[in-house]
Amino acid sequence: MADRKLANSVVQSLSHYLLHKRTPQWTYDAKWEILLEKLGGKLIEPFQVHTLDSFKTNPVDPDTTKALQQQVEQEIANDSEFRQQLAKTIGGPMAGSRARRTWSMVAAAALVVVAVVITYLIARPSGNDPVAQPPATVTSTAEVTVTESTTTTTSTPESSSAAPASSVTGSAGPGILGDGGSLPEGTPVHLTDLPRPNDEWNFEYGDHDVQFTQYGNSVWDVLYTCSETQRSVEQQFNLRNFRSITVEAVGTDSTSDSGVAMRFEIFANDNTVEPIKEAVVEPGGSTPMEAALPADVFALTLRASLARPPDPDDCLEANAVWGSPYVVAAGS
């Protein structure tokens, strides 16, 4: 995780937690309290102390948030041990994903090597034979299936341990990442497998629920009715040669405050004003989404926002979830 991205993750996560502390539903979370203590022990210069105190007072002020992110980024760039402490405390799906991918590749390679050695020993003629026989031709095929899953560490626990629901049994196989022309026509590809601008995630991703039903390869982010900067969230993906997009369900999750209606919008290319698909989901509801993509598609943007102006006296929190979104390859 890059220093800037780690700093942003730390500050944004603490911003969400500090906002949540102001709600009646707040419960003590040791993970984020420890993170606050680590920052307090590191940011000891007078201007740093002032920034951190201002952030605790108003965790959604854009100037204070930006200043704190820059200070944290500078500290972790100068102190690798501090960087490791923050990364270990906050966790992160991408680091785990890379570790699993690396281990899977090593395991697969080891199995193939073992298969080759066994084949060689079987086929090799014995040195004690009076007449060496020509080695028989042995064809050995080692098939190794490696399954990689992506999980997300988040302060909000999942509400169900049931297997995620999804009609998509596979995703991007051999081919060029994000290019549906390199895949057989009709191949489904999860949005979590598509490239992103600067390889950055704005959303969380992994298995998550929409109104108690679990969906694999989902994306989501939190919205706050009392935060001017967190009433709308979006994530962009890069792609080409795909003909349609399907989201199996959109809505809020089981841990969200009631009374929050969400608007979900899908935009194609540079047009972020006129969505190709839009859905408004009332509190407690969910709905699927599906839309055809233009032939020249090169980008998709998912946006979730509050469907109605918030009550200034409320401070509600809700996760806007896109359950198992995927695109379908147009083929070559």
Side-chain angles (χ1 to χ4, degrees), residues 11 60 64 68 99 111 131 187 207 244 280 284 292 309 316:
V11 174
V60 296
T64 303
L68 184 60
L111 289 174
V131 179
T187 301
D207 296 344
S244 64
V280 174
L316 303 179

Side-chain angles (χ1 to χ4, degrees), residues 89-266:
T89 301
I90 197 171
M94 286 172 290
S97 178
R98 283 195 295 268
R100 284 190 297 274
R101 185 182 298 111
T102 301
W103 172 246
S104 298
M105 293 175 64
V106 171
L111 289 174
V112 172
V113 170
V114 170
V116 171
V117 171
I118 292 175
T119 300
Y120 170 76
L121 292 176
I122 293 175
R124 188 184 63 179
S126 173
N128 296 325
D129 291 345
V131 179
Q133 298 296 324
T137 300
V138 177
T139 301
S140 176
T141 301
E143 180 177 351
V144 180
T145 301
V146 180
T147 302
E148 177 183 345
S149 62
T150 303
T151 59
T152 297
T153 301
T154 176
S155 60
T156 303
E158 296 295 348
S159 62
S160 172
S161 59
S166 177
S167 63
V168 181
T169 57
S171 191
I176 301 173
L177 184 63
D179 186 358
S182 64
L183 300 169
E185 181 180 0
T187 301
V189 178
H190 293 294
L191 263 61
T192 52
D193 292 328
L194 293 177
R196 300 161 303 281
N198 299 318
D199 198 30
E200 291 184 354
W201 275 106
N202 297 326
F203 283 0
E204 301 290 338
Y205 63 97
D207 296 344
H208 209 74
D209 78 281
V210 178
Q211 288 300 309
F212 297 95
T213 299
Q214 291 287 321
Y215 293 90
N217 297 283
S218 300
V219 295
W220 69 94
D221 204 358
V222 63
L223 277 73
Y224 294 95
T225 61
C226 56
S227 169
E228 294 183 1
T229 60
Q230 200 71 14
R231 293 174 183 168
S232 177
V233 292
E234 63 183 46
Q235 174 75 55
Q236 189 175 78
F237 301 89
N238 295 331
L239 75 169
R240 64 179 182 180
N241 297 321
F242 286 90
R243 69 188 186 192
S244 64
I245 178 172
T246 297
V247 188
E248 298 195 357
V250 294
T252 57
D253 65 9
S254 56
T255 66
S256 297
D257 291 329
S258 60
V260 181
M262 292 285 185
R263 173 175 284 103
F264 294 85
E265 298 170 292
I266 303 174

